[in-house]
Amino acid sequence: MEELFKKVFNNKFIRKLIFRYVSKPNGYKYEEIHSLNWICSNGYFGLAYDKLKFNKHQLTERFGMLHLFELLTQMDSPSASQFLKYLLTEYDFECGVCSEDDHQNKIKEKRNQFFTCLPSLDYMTENCSLEDILLIESVIPNDLLSNVTSTEALDKAPYNLNPSNRHSIVKHLLKNRNEGCSFRILINSMAMNDLELLKYIIEENQENFNEIVTFNSKYIGLSPSSSSSSSSSMEFESPENIIEKCIINLNMELLEYVLMEFPKFGFNFNNLNWFAMIEHSIKSLKSQNQTSTTLFNSESQVNNNNNKVLIMIKYIIENKITLKERELLSIRIKNLEMVLNSFLYCLMNSLIDILDYLINQSKLITLPIDKHQLSQCPNYLLFFSISFQSLVFCHQNGIPIWEYIPNNISIDSLESFKYIKEHDDISEKFPSIEISCTDLESVKYIFENFNSSMDLDGILIECAAIGDVSTLIYLSQVVDRNNFTEELAQVALKEKKLDVIRFLHLDLAIEIDLTYLLMVASASNDTDAVMMIFQDFKLDPSLITQEVLNACCLKSEGLELFKYLYSICPQKKKPIVPISILNECIKLKLWNTIDWLIDNIFNNNNNNNNNNNNNNNNNNNNNNNNNNNNNNNDINNNSKVINYGISNLRIVKKLISNGFTFSKVSFNNCYENVKVLEYIHNHFPKQECTTNAIDLACRFDCYNSVKFLLDNRNEGYDMAFQFCLTRGWFEIIELLTSTQRYKDLHKPFKPLKQPLYFEQIDQIIFTNSSMMLSIVIDQNGGGADNGGNNIKLPITGQQIINAIKNSGHLSIFSQLLNISKNVTPSILGQCLIISLSYNRPHFINYLRNKLSI
């Protein structure tokens, strides 16, 4: 391994390439990373673990619900699992100073609050491992965990990309938890092409599935033997979509199993349009073969996929479409478009074996084909080219493909072109043939033998795009040079083919708008192209405009290009860099660019002459001693105002030392870093802000910033409580209500409606937070401290139904029933029907007990 390392880094080219991609001009250093929001939202959970455990002083935030949410939705990495284990077993959740026993109890209570405020298992199962699930269950009491776990936990588990995790989690949850699963788990297992898992779930859970079907039959009137084409009341996929999932996966065994087992649960496949399924099976090759191209031995995999489709089509035609249906004129006419669309798709993608079966063996497609009917198919307008294999098949089977083409057809191989020219019976019938081959051998052959058939413009553009200079050189010798236009240079620049541009401009003397070329190259951050324009093409640097500089400055990796362009600008014509550009860089968090702008353009000590020695390696390795007269002398201290929030304390200190101030909007948006708020507040005692400062800090779960603003500012807050309710930030809610001063700082822009925070209930139901619903109840005087849930709120029937449909969490549903003004047996009966429709076993059992069924 060490020897390999030496070989790699001793290679100058590889070493330079590695550092080019590893180093990011506007990246962060370890000690500059202070935001847990940034760390967790980018999935750097190993870094979060390291910071919290060893360098907590570098962080400006406490670990909050937002970070927990990010963690639980990205549990597919070892670092996330390590971080989860740390949170559940070691992290103290900053419970303050108290006795050892109280401290441990508070940590336990806080941990339980965190992991039961969000439906953790529902978020985790499609990403985590079984070990993560077991860890959660071992630490969080089951009664609390059950309140925030629904059928979603099992239903989503088949989506786990790791097959071993998928199987182990499903088996564990089926055997050890009571939330159960819906029929959705079957659909999801099919979507993942996991027949083994599908069989296991049906075998283990068949009794529960049968019970749901029986209840549906009794209360909804849906019988497993119903002849309806779909389960209209039950929340299933349509039969067409179910079979389509089997077909898309090219799994014949899965298809046969589903057709055999699913009717037992009320699924009816009798009225499926199997002609449509044939079309789906052929189209599925596109996605399957795209996946195969990323694998080794992709050609054999593509052939294997083609064979699977052929087997599936044979099965459908021989078992699902009777001979009578194939021959019956009315059925043929009804499905003609789908059949012909399949014919075109096979023709366009060289699926010769499938074409042969459809035409010569099954007779599903009969000849001759009517051109008018074919032209009505969606694939007809996509029929631009034909492969050699398809061309030969059509010719040998008497299919006059030349009569079907919508426009001039393109031949994509020299082999096809020769075949047409060698067969007089078809060469005369093609209205026009254009060859799209661009390799030098093909171009030479076609030009020398069949010049009139060349799509010269297409070949030139293709060669410019792929950088084929040799073919361009050959064509420049045998065709009129007027065919070589500026458009080719623009195509080459887009694909970063600089050799083509040099050839066109220097060898062929093609006139190119270098100013436009410069703007395009700058916008794409192509330093090599920009240097070529100035050094090889001798473009006048005075043409560098402010727009060009802006295009470089506002890109995350554009600093070096910006510095190069700025350094070669003539001293007397240097474009002015306005404050607005600095503000935009702050908005984009381009810290290194901001550093350079402050040091070289907006520096207080740089208003007159600033000797800036730019060692420009890209400019013939000469040292250019540029006297950068600051053209921004018109910028005075009064106009140096920052209008965006900043999270980087070092940058804030540098800005203030150079005479910058901060607007209300800027201070309001500095919530990410409490140290920034503190520094600006102390440096500018009269710094203004609005209620948005605390509102935004609450919205993004920045606890420390909220506490600082509550303690040191008097502007108060408006929507803070509402933001916390709809996002689940219980810690901040506790803070806002912890003292009378904090409560008095609530300054709503509009008077609060009664009942309090009732407008947030819909969002609380959507986010599945039973704890937040409890807080709303408590705010309205119905909490445990006020004698229990003894209040009645105007809960609507739709909200109760949404608790079944959207969340599936029994704790939310039961709370809504307890506080609803009008809960009648009729409403409970409707809830039972919805629960059956959405296959919520825990709801069904709860309502059966309520209704004594």
Side-chain angles (χ1 to χ4, degrees):
M1 194 67 184
E2 291 181 4
E3 191 64 31
L4 179 62
F5 181 86
K6 289 179 182 178
K7 287 181 179 180
V8 169
F9 278 88
N10 284 338
N11 186 304
K12 292 183 179 180
F13 173 77
I14 297 177
R15 185 171 67 244
K16 184 178 179 181
L17 197 64
I18 289 172
F19 283 110
R20 176 183 174 186
Y21 285 102
V22 169
S23 61
K24 292 186 178 180
N26 283 288
Y28 294 95
K29 297 177 182 178
Y30 177 87
E31 61 273 8
E32 291 180 341
I33 299 174
H34 58 79
S35 171
L36 272 170
N37 282 350
W38 183 86
I39 294 172
C40 293
S41 63
N42 285 283
Y44 301 142
F45 296 113
L47 178 60
Y49 166 79
D50 187 85
K51 285 277 188 180
L52 280 173
K53 187 167 185 178
F54 303 110
N55 292 285
K56 190 182 291 187
H57 64 281
Q58 293 179 352
L59 295 172
T60 59
E61 306 160 28
R62 293 155 48 118
F63 184 82
M65 289 301 303
L66 176 63
H67 315 129
L68 178 64
F69 176 81
E70 293 285 359
L71 170 65
L72 296 181
T73 54
Q74 299 183 61
M75 286 298 302
D76 53 350
S77 68
S79 60
S81 294
Q82 179 197 34
F83 188 44
L84 176 69
K85 185 175 182 180
Y86 168 69
L87 292 173
L88 289 170
T89 58
E90 297 181 52
Y91 184 56
D92 62 8
F93 285 96
E94 301 181 24
C95 293
V97 179
C98 54
S99 67
E100 182 63 25
D101 291 341
D102 287 344
H103 186 66
Q104 292 303 319
N105 290 334
K106 285 187 176 181
I107 290 175
K108 184 178 180 181
E109 180 183 351
K110 186 71 72 174
R111 182 182 295 123
N112 290 346
Q113 281 182 309
F114 261 91
F115 284 89
T116 57
C117 192
L118 291 172
S120 49
L121 291 187
D122 289 6
Y123 285 126
M124 291 175 62
T125 54
E126 60 182 309
N127 300 305
C128 70
S129 66
L130 177 59
E131 287 71 23
D132 298 323
I133 299 286
L134 294 174
L135 183 61
I136 287 275
E137 291 179 338
S138 67
V139 176
I140 308 300
N142 186 59
D143 59 329
L144 295 178
L145 200 56
S146 295
N147 285 341
V148 290
T149 305
S150 74
T151 54
E152 291 291 303
L154 255 170
D155 287 350
K156 289 181 178 179
Y159 280 135
N160 197 306
L161 294 178
N162 186 316
S164 62
N165 286 343
R166 185 190 311 157
H167 286 240
S168 60
I169 290 172
V170 168
K171 290 177 180 178
H172 171 77
L173 294 179
L174 277 175
K175 290 181 178 178
N176 296 282
R177 298 206 63 82
N178 300 319
E179 291 81 20
C181 59
S182 75
F183 282 104
R184 181 66 52 194
I185 192 174
L186 305 182
I187 309 300
N188 295 342
S189 299
M190 289 169 52
M192 296 301 292
N193 199 20
D194 197 329
L195 179 57
E196 181 186 349
L197 183 64
L198 181 65
K199 289 180 176 179
Y200 175 83
I201 294 168
I202 289 178
E203 289 170 3
E204 290 294 317
N205 210 51
Q206 190 154 12
E207 183 177 342
N208 291 330
F209 288 152
N210 289 337
E211 186 176 4
I212 291 175
V213 172
T214 302
F215 266 90
N216 269 281
S217 176
K218 181 176 181 180
Y219 290 98
I220 301 180
L222 178 69
S223 153
S225 60
S226 172
S227 60
S228 61
S229 60
S230 64
S231 305
S232 57
S233 299
M234 300 180 75
E235 198 259 333
F236 293 147
E237 295 271 352
S238 69
E240 289 80 5
N241 288 342
I242 291 172
I243 297 303
E244 188 179 338
K245 282 182 169 62
C246 300
I247 287 173
I248 287 174
N249 288 314
L250 302 182
N251 193 329
M252 191 66 239
E253 190 179 355
L254 177 63
L255 176 62
E256 291 178 327
Y257 181 81
V258 167
L259 289 172
M260 179 179 66
E261 292 293 330
F262 275 45
K264 299 174 183 177
F265 307 124
F267 294 89
N268 193 312
F269 303 118
N270 292 335
N271 297 317
L272 275 182
N273 186 337
W274 288 99
F275 288 92
M277 295 302 112
I278 291 175
E279 185 180 16
H280 288 315
S281 65
I282 295 173
K283 286 184 176 180
S284 68
L285 276 173
K286 183 176 182 180
S287 58
Q288 290 287 345
N289 288 342
Q290 282 177 344
T291 304
S292 299
T293 56
T294 64
L295 305 173
F296 295 108
N297 199 19
S298 60
E299 184 177 350
S300 63
Q301 184 64 40
V302 168
N303 291 334
N304 186 38
N305 290 339
N306 294 348
N307 291 332
K308 287 180 178 179
V309 169
L310 181 57
I311 292 171
M312 192 159 287
I313 291 174
K314 285 182 177 180
Y315 173 84
I316 292 173
I317 291 177
E318 293 170 6
N319 295 278
K320 298 299 176 182
I321 301 177
T322 65
L323 185 61
K324 181 179 179 180
E325 287 176 322
R326 280 181 259 168
E327 294 175 349
L328 199 62
L329 183 61
S330 60
I331 294 179
R332 292 185 62 81
I333 292 173
K334 178 182 176 182
N335 298 288
L336 185 60
E337 182 179 309
M338 284 181 285
V339 172
L340 293 182
N341 210 43
S342 299
F343 163 74
L344 283 172
Y345 189 88
C346 292
L347 205 61
M348 292 157 55
N349 293 278
S350 306
L351 305 176
I352 306 305
D353 290 342
I354 297 175
L355 273 174
D356 181 62
Y357 179 78
L358 293 175
I359 294 173
N360 297 323
Q361 298 179 48
S362 69
K363 308 297 183 183
L364 194 68
I365 299 175
T366 56
L367 303 176
I369 297 173
D370 183 83
K371 179 181 178 180
H372 175 71
Q373 293 172 330
L374 195 68
S375 66
Q376 305 304 307
C377 299
N379 281 333
Y380 183 75
L381 296 177
L382 303 175
F383 188 30
F384 297 120
S385 64
I386 187 169
S387 69
F388 173 70
Q389 294 87 347
S390 296
L391 180 65
V392 173
F393 177 83
C394 289
H395 183 228
Q396 292 176 349
N397 286 274
I399 302 173
I401 190 62
W402 45 87
E403 295 179 4
Y404 301 149
I405 54 178
N407 295 299
N408 294 347
I409 194 164
S410 175
I411 304 300
D412 61 4
S413 71
L414 185 60
E415 193 176 18
S416 299
F417 194 85
K418 290 179 178 180
Y419 185 86
I420 292 174
K421 290 298 182 180
E422 290 169 0
H423 292 80
D424 295 336
D425 58 330
I426 58 173
S427 62
E428 298 175 356
K429 296 178 181 179
F430 272 86
S432 177
I433 307 171
E434 295 180 349
I435 185 163
S436 57
C437 304
T438 57
D439 62 281
L440 184 57
E441 180 185 0
S442 299
V443 170
K444 279 185 176 181
Y445 178 86
I446 298 300
F447 186 83
E448 292 168 0
N449 295 277
F450 311 101
N451 191 359
S452 61
S453 296
M454 287 188 65
D455 176 17
L456 184 59
D457 289 341
I459 291 174
L460 288 173
I461 290 174
E462 184 68 19
C463 289
I466 65 175
D468 189 349
V469 178
S470 59
T471 301
L472 290 174
I473 292 173
Y474 169 76
L475 288 173
S476 69
Q477 296 168 355
V478 294
V479 302
D480 188 346
R481 291 197 176 185
N482 288 330
N483 291 294
F484 292 80
T485 64
E486 185 182 1
E487 180 188 4
L488 299 180
Q490 295 172 7
V491 171
L493 181 62
K494 183 178 179 181
E495 301 298 328
K496 301 185 182 296
K497 305 301 180 184
L498 303 187
D499 288 342
V500 172
I501 301 175
R502 288 192 180 94
F503 168 72
L504 294 172
H505 189 63
L506 300 178
D507 295 2
L508 298 186
I510 303 298
E511 289 189 10
I512 298 175
D513 185 349
L514 296 179
T515 305
Y516 172 77
L517 216 60
L518 172 64
M519 186 169 292
V520 174
S522 301
S524 61
N525 198 33
D526 192 340
T527 305
D528 293 336
V530 170
M531 292 181 62
M532 176 189 70
I533 291 168
F534 284 106
Q535 295 178 10
D536 296 357
F537 299 168
K538 309 300 181 186
L539 181 66
D540 184 0
S542 65
L543 295 176
I544 298 174
T545 63
Q546 184 175 327
E547 288 75 18
V548 172
L549 286 174
N550 292 352
C552 304
C553 192
L554 298 179
K555 291 188 176 295
S556 60
E557 298 181 1
L559 177 57
E560 293 305 315
L561 181 55
F562 173 82
K563 288 160 65 175
Y564 170 75
L565 289 173
Y566 195 78
S567 69
I568 65 173
C569 285
Q571 200 62 45
K572 294 182 180 180
K573 294 185 178 181
K574 276 192 187 295
I576 293 175
V577 181
I579 290 287
S580 60
I581 292 301
L582 179 65
N583 268 301
E584 287 298 320
C585 290
I586 289 171
K587 180 182 178 182
L588 298 170
K589 300 184 178 182
L590 305 178
W591 306 128
N592 287 359
T593 303
I594 296 165
D595 261 329
W596 192 89
L597 289 174
I598 296 173
D599 292 340
N600 295 275
I601 296 177
F602 299 107
N603 194 320
N604 277 345
N605 300 322
N606 197 31
N607 286 332
N608 297 311
N609 294 322
N610 180 22
N611 294 323
N612 180 27
N613 296 319
N614 280 329
N615 295 320
N616 192 339
N617 295 325
N618 296 321
N619 194 9
N620 299 322
N621 293 321
N622 294 324
N623 292 326
N624 298 320
N625 193 21
N626 297 318
N627 292 319
N628 289 333
N629 292 320
N630 190 344
N631 291 315
N632 298 288
N633 290 332
D634 59 321
I635 300 173
N636 55 49
N637 286 342
N638 292 328
S639 64
K640 296 171 77 170
V641 179
I642 302 303
N643 291 314
Y644 291 101
I646 308 179
S647 58
N648 191 315
L649 181 60
R650 179 179 58 81
I651 294 293
V652 168
K653 290 180 178 179
K654 182 176 281 192
L655 286 168
I656 291 176
S657 67
N658 284 281
F660 284 87
T661 58
F662 300 84
S663 67
K664 289 181 184 180
V665 173
S666 175
F667 189 78
N668 288 342
N669 284 275
C670 289
Y671 52 82
E672 279 188 54
N673 190 340
V674 67
K675 294 179 181 177
V676 168
L677 288 172
E678 204 173 320
Y679 191 85
I680 296 175
H681 173 79
N682 293 333
H683 198 87
F684 299 109
K686 295 184 179 180
Q687 173 68 48
E688 295 181 333
C689 72
T690 68
T691 56
N692 280 346
I694 293 179
D695 286 350
L696 288 171
C698 289
R699 184 175 186 176
F700 295 98
D701 195 22
C702 298
Y703 181 96
N704 290 349
S705 296
V706 175
K707 190 170 191 322
F708 172 81
L709 291 167
L710 288 171
D711 289 338
N712 296 277
R713 307 288 304 192
N714 296 314
E715 288 81 5
Y717 55 92
D718 176 14
M719 297 293 292
F721 209 91
Q722 289 90 323
F723 285 142
C724 293
L725 279 174
T726 55
R727 286 164 174 78
W729 312 154
F730 72 88
E731 276 197 307
I732 296 180
I733 290 177
E734 289 179 347
L735 177 64
L736 294 174
T737 57
S738 61
T739 70
Q740 191 59 46
R741 166 179 160 75
Y742 295 168
K743 293 177 182 178
D744 293 341
L745 284 173
H746 189 194
K747 300 175 182 179
F749 181 74
K750 295 180 181 179
L752 291 178
K753 295 181 180 180
Q754 294 291 334
L756 294 175
Y757 310 116
F758 188 74
E759 293 175 346
Q760 278 68 53
I761 283 186
D762 286 336
Q763 187 65 26
I764 289 171
I765 293 171
F766 181 77
T767 53
N768 308 327
S769 181
S770 59
M771 181 182 288
M772 295 302 106
L773 182 57
S774 299
I775 290 173
V776 171
I777 295 171
D778 183 64
Q779 289 292 310
N780 284 281
D785 296 337
N786 298 296
N789 294 338
N790 54 0
I791 62 162
K792 296 297 179 183
L793 299 178
I795 302 295
T796 66
Q798 188 60 51
Q799 288 172 322
I800 294 175
I801 289 172
N802 287 342
I804 303 173
K805 288 182 177 180
N806 297 338
S807 72
H809 289 87
L810 189 56
S811 57
I812 294 179
F813 176 73
S814 60
Q815 285 186 86
L816 289 174
L817 287 182
N818 289 337
I819 63 174
S820 180
K821 287 183 177 180
N822 299 304
V823 179
T824 64
S826 175
I827 291 177
L828 293 177
Q830 292 178 31
C831 290
L832 178 60
I833 292 174
I834 296 296
S835 301
L836 288 165
S837 300
Y838 280 76
N839 319 131
R840 307 290 193 194
H842 50 315
F843 279 78
I844 294 170
N845 292 330
Y846 176 82
L847 289 166
R848 284 173 64 189
N849 291 332
K850 279 262 184 188
L851 294 167
S852 301
I853 297 176

